[in-house]
């Protein structure tokens, strides 16, 4: 597992099926998340929306030919709906986006054989390494892993800024931000 190769992609069509397959394997089979929100079709729709935005990028970790996991992110542009589902008010100006201010980490998923090995952190840091945005934000289900997933993000420098429910059938997520984007 020390021989992981981290590859960057900006064309989703080169890796769409691998991303969808990993998402279904982990979210549905491993974690038992069911319902329309977690279906392959709905995830693929979200992937299409995210990847159509300027600046979308994914990093996939490969162990030989086997994909171990991925993360992808999209810069938040002017008029983004990202902040509109917040259930708690944010300070004035916090939600003003320019396309260069905030990177939204839309997904980070690691397959079972590579969990607990540091692969998720390596993928995360690789995805952020050459980015110029000021900060990064993500949503996490606070119940995931009985709170352990949110605790991982806190160790990576994220702070909870509130909660949001972006879709009627999605969980209520903890909204987290890491400022600045890069840690010293």
């Amino acid at each position: 597992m020390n021989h992981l190769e981290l590859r960057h992609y900006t064309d989703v069509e080169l890796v769409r099926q691998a991303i969808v397959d990993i998402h279904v394997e982990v979210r549905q089979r491993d974690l038992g998340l069911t319902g329309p929100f977690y279906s392959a079709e709905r995830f693929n729709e979200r992937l299409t929306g995210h990847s159509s935005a300027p600046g979308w990028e994914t990093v996939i970790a490969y162990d030989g030919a086997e994909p171990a996991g991925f993360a992808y992110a999209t810069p938040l542009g002017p008029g983004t709906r990202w902040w509109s589902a917040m259930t708690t008010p944010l300070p004035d100006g916090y939600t003003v986006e320019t396309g260069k201010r905030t990177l939204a980490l839309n997904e980070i998923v690691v397959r079972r054989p590579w969990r607990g090995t540091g692969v998720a952190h390596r993928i995360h840091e690789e995805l952020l390494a050459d980015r110029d945005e000021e900060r990064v934000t993500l949503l996490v289900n606070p119940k995931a892993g009985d709170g352990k997933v949110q605790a991982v993000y806190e160790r990576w420098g994220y702070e909870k800024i509130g909660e949001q429910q972006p879709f009627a059938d999605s969980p209520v997520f903890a909204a987290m931000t890491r400022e600045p984007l890069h840690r010293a």
Side-chain angles (χ1 to χ4, degrees), residues 86-116:
M86 293 297 295
T87 59
T88 47
L90 294 169
D92 285 347
Y94 195 89
T95 64
V96 175
E97 296 299 345
T98 63
K100 302 258 183 222
R101 183 177 189 199
T102 308
L103 183 68
L105 179 64
N106 302 109
E107 291 284 341
I108 184 165
V109 182
V110 174
R111 295 174 64 209
R112 184 178 301 212
W114 293 274
R115 278 189 227 134

Side-chain angles (χ1 to χ4, degrees), residues 51 55 62 76 84-85 114 151 176 178:
S51 64
Y62 290 91
L76 298 179
S84 64
W114 293 274
M176 303 183 80
R178 181 169 108 174

Side-chain angles (χ1 to χ4, degrees), residues 19-33:
I19 289 173
V20 171
D21 290 348
I22 292 169
H23 187 272
V24 168
E25 175 185 327
V26 171
R27 299 285 196 252
Q28 290 180 10
R29 291 186 216 133
D30 291 354
L31 302 178
L33 300 173

